[in-house]
Amino acid sequence: MPNRSTIEDIYADTLRRNPGEVEFHQAVREVFDSLGRVLDKNPQYVQASILERICEPERQIIFRVPWVDDAGQVRINRGFRVQFNSALGPYKGGLRFHPTVLLGTVKFLGFEQVFKNALTGMPIGGGKGGSDFDPKGRSDGEIMRFCQSFMTEAYRHIGEYTDVPAGDIGVGAREIGYLFGQYKRITNRYESGVLTGKGVTWGGSLVRTEATGYGAVFFTEHMLATKGRSFDGARVLVSGSGNVAVYAIEKVHALGGIVVGASDSSGAIHDPDGIDLALLRDIKERRRERISVYADERGGRVRFLPGASVWDIESDDRIDVALPCATQNEISEAQAVKLVASGVVAVAEGANMPTTPGALRVLREAGVLFGPGKAANAGGVATSALEMQQNASRDSWGFEHTEERLSEIMAGIHERTAATADEYGVPGDYVVGANIAGFTRVADAMLALGVI
């Protein structure tokens, strides 16, 4: 393609300017691989240096987070907020509290968020943030003090018209509550729209907790329908057992599917008779115990595989659908080969970039329907935007109404992604469709706003 050298030059410069940030490099590579045909059709993007500008965050904020643990020991963590692109609206993206969080992690997540948010069709830009703080094993008091310290710096960079953080790994309604309380205390404003993922009794939205998991299943349902298939009777693997995974399992069950595997950081369970969701939720959400407890209490044919992922499960059973809902780069090339051999029809990313480049190549070459995270897991941020709408209008919607809105948004994302793939000559390629549809919406807004 005539613009291949342009793309490669810009990618090489991105690597040079962002050394060591391998996840960010991977995210940029995956988008750039789809854009040659777009630049051929839209030379104005090259002339305005859109690719160079879209890879450079508008603002990167790094700060110290000092706090005191229950023993009186002063602890120090590092906080991040990468405000990546606001061409479509205020920055929008979660906060991740996990010991693996580095600047490159936050940049990769923020870069993905830009296109994911664009695909929703809603007026929100992209950003991401977090800290290398690990909430596991910490008391409520320690988590509160950490969140208050984090917000004492972060508050000056956010706002309902500027940047609206939400939750992510390690940040749920409890953490959002502590963060919002400190924001309110410092600013003396009950600015509900500054954070999403709030409790439903104080400005939160029904369905927000379920939204990412539900949305991934809705998107997969639309993909399956293109092949005359559905979840009814489908055997499904879901990685993880956190918020996204639990509600993906719930919606799969509601649509007639059978989830036979789940996992956490300690290992995976295989339940060939179908996951007992009530038991799993009790163990993970109420008791906060390891997933091995599920195997102990469920009994029967359930197996626990210590240190393994669900993609390592050995079984003669077919697997129709795979929903990776845990973390980035969790499906390897070898595991993708195993999924193809098991008869998998569709894979949809409930997590951000959980499929390695090698695994993605295997799945696409095998003709597996593949829903990339920027399309398939956009339900969470879409419902966050619905929460912002309710906050702005001082309104509160019922569960059924909000879920219907979410379902409509996911249908629109699927339609937009599939139609773009058709337009650019790669029907059924949701990766290319999502990348181009998200990119062109942001790029056109950037052109309209001038060189800023």
Side-chain angles (χ1 to χ4, degrees):
M1 293 181 182
N3 286 298
R4 174 54 57 185
S5 60
T6 301
I7 291 173
E8 291 304 325
D9 289 345
I10 297 169
Y11 181 67
D13 194 51
T14 301
L15 298 188
R16 180 186 63 79
R17 291 165 59 83
N18 302 275
E21 297 174 353
V22 292
E23 294 164 326
F24 178 54
H25 302 163
Q26 181 182 338
V28 172
R29 174 81 274 173
E30 193 261 333
V31 171
F32 275 19
D33 283 345
S34 301
L35 297 184
R37 47 179 65 88
V38 180
L39 301 187
D40 291 339
K41 192 172 181 180
N42 300 276
Q44 68 271 24
Y45 297 154
V46 178
Q47 293 162 8
S49 297
I50 293 294
L51 262 66
E52 293 93 330
R53 289 158 60 192
I54 214 166
C55 290
E56 187 67 27
E58 293 174 12
R59 191 172 294 108
Q60 302 179 65
I61 303 152
I62 305 175
F63 52 96
R64 181 175 62 200
V65 188
W67 57 283
V68 181
D69 68 17
D70 287 344
Q73 176 68 43
V74 175
R75 303 281 184 173
I76 303 295
N77 287 99
R78 182 172 291 174
F80 304 93
R81 190 67 183 172
V82 174
Q83 297 173 332
F84 221 108
N85 193 294
S86 60
L88 293 175
Y91 310 104
K92 186 81 191 77
L95 296 171
R96 177 175 293 192
F97 291 170
H98 193 274
T100 61
V101 170
L102 300 168
L103 179 60
T105 314
V106 179
K107 283 170 69 176
F108 122 68
L109 292 166
F111 184 77
E112 288 280 294
Q113 198 78 46
V114 172
F115 306 106
K116 180 190 301 184
N117 293 2
L119 281 171
T120 67
M122 305 179 88
I124 44 178
K128 205 76 177 183
S131 173
D132 57 1
F133 171 74
D134 188 358
K136 283 186 179 177
R138 293 295 178 186
S139 70
D140 278 355
E142 289 175 322
I143 289 170
M144 180 185 71
R145 291 192 291 276
F146 173 81
C147 289
Q148 289 175 339
S149 182
F150 184 95
M151 184 55 78
T152 298
E153 172 59 32
Y155 89 93
R156 69 190 76 242
H157 307 292
I158 65 176
E160 62 181 334
Y161 299 112
T162 306
D163 185 354
V164 182
D168 194 85
I169 294 172
V171 179
R174 173 182 59 177
E175 289 74 20
I176 293 293
Y178 293 146
L179 291 164
F180 181 73
Q182 186 72 350
Y183 182 87
K184 185 174 78 70
R185 181 185 190 186
I186 293 171
T187 63
N188 195 33
R189 294 195 302 270
Y190 204 105
E191 190 179 329
S192 295
V194 71
L195 288 167
T196 58
K198 300 183 293 296
V200 294
T201 58
W202 48 280
S205 172
L206 291 168
V207 190
R208 178 60 190 90
T209 305
E210 298 86 350
T212 306
Y214 277 19
V217 174
F218 288 147
F219 189 89
T220 309
E221 186 180 25
H222 288 292
M223 288 201 302
L224 290 170
T226 67
K227 301 293 186 184
R229 301 283 295 265
S230 73
F231 272 107
D232 192 22
R235 298 183 69 80
V236 182
L237 284 177
V238 177
S239 67
S241 52
N243 215 44
V244 180
V246 162
Y247 288 106
I249 294 170
E250 180 176 281
K251 186 55 68 175
V252 168
H253 284 181
L255 295 173
I258 304 163
V259 177
V260 298
S263 62
D264 66 11
S265 58
S266 70
I269 52 169
H270 179 218
D271 188 344
D273 298 320
I275 294 287
D276 181 335
L277 183 58
L279 175 59
L280 181 65
R281 293 184 66 172
D282 183 60
I283 291 167
K284 300 302 294 184
E285 296 180 351
R286 188 181 68 82
R287 291 188 264 164
R288 297 180 183 269
E289 294 182 314
R290 309 312 294 166
I291 204 165
S292 57
V293 176
Y294 178 94
D296 296 337
E297 297 187 10
R298 173 79 158 155
R301 298 197 293 159
V302 178
R303 291 184 296 139
F304 172 64
L305 289 71
S309 81
V310 293
W311 320 118
D312 296 319
I313 291 172
E314 298 286 349
S315 173
D316 293 331
D317 290 342
R318 78 179 195 279
I319 297 297
D320 300 298
V321 177
L323 300 175
C325 295
T327 190
Q328 60 265 23
N329 291 323
E330 59 171 284
I331 302 182
S332 69
E333 184 172 348
Q335 291 166 333
V337 169
K338 188 182 297 183
L339 280 173
V340 171
S342 74
V344 72
V345 176
V347 176
E349 295 185 319
N352 291 303
M353 207 170 69
T355 313
T356 62
L360 178 56
R361 183 178 62 254
V362 167
L363 295 170
R364 292 170 79 182
E365 288 176 355
V368 175
L369 296 166
F370 184 84
K374 58 177 64 71
N377 71 36
V381 73
T383 307
S384 283
L386 297 180
E387 182 175 331
M388 292 165 67
Q389 287 183 24
Q390 293 171 78
N391 294 155
S393 61
R394 299 293 191 267
D395 201 357
S396 181
W397 304 340
F399 191 97
E400 290 184 2
H401 175 73
T402 310
E403 184 179 2
E404 184 179 351
R405 289 291 309 276
L406 170 63
S407 179
E408 290 169 354
I409 291 167
M410 296 310 298
I413 293 171
H414 179 270
E415 182 180 347
R416 195 172 297 120
T417 302
T420 303
D422 288 344
E423 178 186 348
Y424 282 87
V426 283
D429 192 327
Y430 292 95
V431 173
V432 172
N435 285 336
I436 294 178
F439 171 80
T440 53
R441 185 161 185 254
V442 177
D444 289 343
M446 291 174 70
L447 288 175
L449 298 181
V451 181
I452 58 171

